[in-house]
Amino acid sequence: MAGNILIMATPPEVNERLARFSETYAKIAQEVGRVIVGHEEILDGVLICLLTGGHAILEGVPGIGKTLLVRTLARALDLEFRRIQFTPDLMPADITGTNVIVEMPDGRRDWEFRPGPIFGNLILADEINRATPKTQSALLEAMQERSVTVARTTHRLGEPFFVLATQNPLEMEGTYPLPEAQLDRFALKLLMAVPSRAEISEIVDRTTGAKVPEAWRVADSKAILEMRDLVRQVPVASHVRDYTSALVLATHPAAEGASPMAGKFVRYGASPRGAQAIILGGKVLALRDGRYNVAFEDVRRMAPAALRHRLILNFEGEAEGVRPDAVIRDVLAHVPEPEE
């Protein structure tokens, strides 16, 4: 298949890093799997964001393991985990931190910055749509700039820095939905399904016995940063890049080559950030599978998570209950793979 052919031989040092990447990724997934039952695709999405420097928004009903997933991942990677419970009365300073007056040893008083919970590595922003837009924007500034500014002083955040924001799709009363421009800053939107009968049985078995399973450390922040560096070096063939661009343009109703469903039900299509998320995610999938190039299959696998939160449906689409994933499936069926 086009997109799976290496044009040049991979250097030996890259082969070593590639093997190390694939091995470390498998160890992380295996260790998290000792605690989390199922949700393999969700874990892949979270790891993709972590390894590409992006952030994810996770939608799912309460009680299906969102918090446990992030906490377990932080434990397996020996990273600092922070959970922020978003509520309507949460203020920006509750997230970023604030300056307080402290008494110095010589008796003088001075200002001292007390960092908030945003100063961690893996941040769980639980039910982000329950906070006011002012508070939401404080978190999103940290996500974009990797820093927070308090009293005209900028404080840098540590690396790796990853935010997983959650939304409950059932309880929408009294919430403040994220504006489209802010949603666009999340690399992926992941949909966490209710576990199956067998998975629920396994969850009960693991969590009600004498010993609850815990994850052990299999990597650290240095390993994650090295893996990020390798992701950026993976080459992407021009025809794979063009295919990704065509997919994104096909979500725009007025664009040439728009898919039938996009032309009928979409008001605004995905932004170029969608293409960036697809390519970066495709690089991680390639490295995970032991390849040093991005294939068309990687692009297709990344498209739903990278595009679903970037599509704005029109009135007809909303009235008919059209889901963004249905539009994306139509786009994938409509856009052909280009020749090499």
Side-chain angles (χ1 to χ4, degrees):
M1 178 185 295
N4 285 331
I5 301 174
L6 286 175
I7 304 303
M8 299 178 60
T10 308
E13 62 275 11
V14 173
N15 279 328
E16 293 177 8
R17 296 183 67 186
L18 177 59
R20 192 161 59 245
F21 184 104
S22 183
E23 181 183 1
T24 303
Y25 190 104
K27 285 182 178 179
I28 296 171
Q30 182 180 9
E31 195 62 28
V32 174
R34 293 180 59 248
V35 179
I36 302 297
V37 179
H39 301 307
E40 289 84 2
E41 289 187 5
I42 301 299
L43 176 59
D44 279 336
V46 171
L47 284 174
I48 285 169
C49 287
L50 179 62
L51 295 175
T52 58
H55 309 283
I57 186 163
L58 181 57
E59 190 172 284
V61 298
I64 55 177
K66 298 187 292 291
T67 303
L68 182 61
L69 172 64
V70 185
R71 184 187 294 119
T72 303
L73 182 61
R75 186 178 180 89
L77 299 177
D78 195 27
L79 298 177
E80 193 172 4
F81 170 72
R82 292 285 184 267
R83 175 179 176 176
I84 307 173
Q85 186 65 50
F86 279 69
T87 56
D89 59 347
L90 191 72
M91 299 298 292
D94 297 327
I95 297 175
T96 61
T98 187
N99 288 325
V100 297
I101 297 178
V102 295
E103 189 168 338
M104 308 299 289
D106 58 2
R108 294 184 300 105
R109 292 182 177 180
D110 202 355
W111 292 100
E112 181 179 288
F113 177 69
R114 296 289 173 85
I118 196 66
F119 286 84
N121 298 122
L122 269 64
I123 312 298
L124 176 63
D126 214 0
E127 295 190 290
I128 187 174
N129 56 335
R130 292 202 173 279
T132 61
K134 183 178 182 179
T135 303
Q136 291 173 357
S137 64
L139 174 69
L140 293 167
E141 176 191 0
M143 290 166 49
Q144 182 71 18
E145 306 299 335
R146 297 297 200 276
S147 64
V148 296
T149 302
V150 178
R152 294 184 294 181
T153 300
T154 299
H155 305 271
R156 298 294 303 176
L157 299 173
E159 289 289 353
F161 177 70
F162 167 64
V163 173
L164 177 67
T166 68
Q167 287 188 153
N168 180 357
L170 300 180
E171 299 179 11
M172 302 304 292
E173 184 177 351
T175 62
Y176 302 86
L178 287 171
E180 288 76 10
Q182 293 182 356
L183 275 175
D184 193 37
R185 297 184 183 277
F186 288 92
L188 305 179
K189 181 178 181 180
L190 309 171
L191 304 180
M192 202 166 187
V194 176
S196 66
R197 179 176 177 177
E199 289 172 341
I200 292 176
S201 179
E202 179 65 22
I203 291 170
V204 172
D205 180 59
R206 290 190 190 184
T207 58
T208 59
K211 188 176 181 180
V212 178
E214 293 186 358
W216 295 91
R217 192 187 86 168
V218 293
D220 55 17
S221 59
K222 181 181 178 181
I224 294 300
L225 295 177
E226 288 178 354
M227 294 170 78
R228 279 189 180 182
D229 180 65
L230 183 59
V231 168
R232 291 283 178 170
Q233 297 180 37
V234 175
V236 180
S238 59
H239 51 282
V240 175
R241 200 164 52 242
D242 290 343
Y243 178 61
T244 304
S245 302
L247 289 178
V248 172
L249 281 177
T251 65
H252 291 259
E256 183 180 353
S259 77
M261 286 192 69
K264 184 177 181 181
F265 298 119
V266 174
R267 182 157 54 108
Y268 296 109
S271 72
R273 283 197 181 106
Q276 293 171 340
I278 290 174
I279 291 296
L280 286 172
K283 292 183 176 186
V284 175
L285 292 179
L287 292 172
R288 183 200 66 179
D289 295 340
R291 291 178 285 108
Y292 196 60
N293 66 301
V294 179
F296 289 130
E297 180 61 26
D298 300 322
V299 171
R300 288 192 294 269
R301 290 179 62 183
M302 288 304 307
L307 301 180
R308 60 168 59 106
H309 58 301
R310 294 183 163 96
L311 301 185
I312 303 175
L313 302 179
N314 57 24
F315 177 79
E316 187 175 358
E318 296 281 359
E320 294 194 18
V322 175
R323 304 294 297 174
D325 279 29
V327 178
I328 295 169
R329 286 193 295 270
D330 185 63
V331 167
L332 291 171
H334 178 74
V335 179
E337 296 178 3
E339 297 294 334
E340 288 187 64

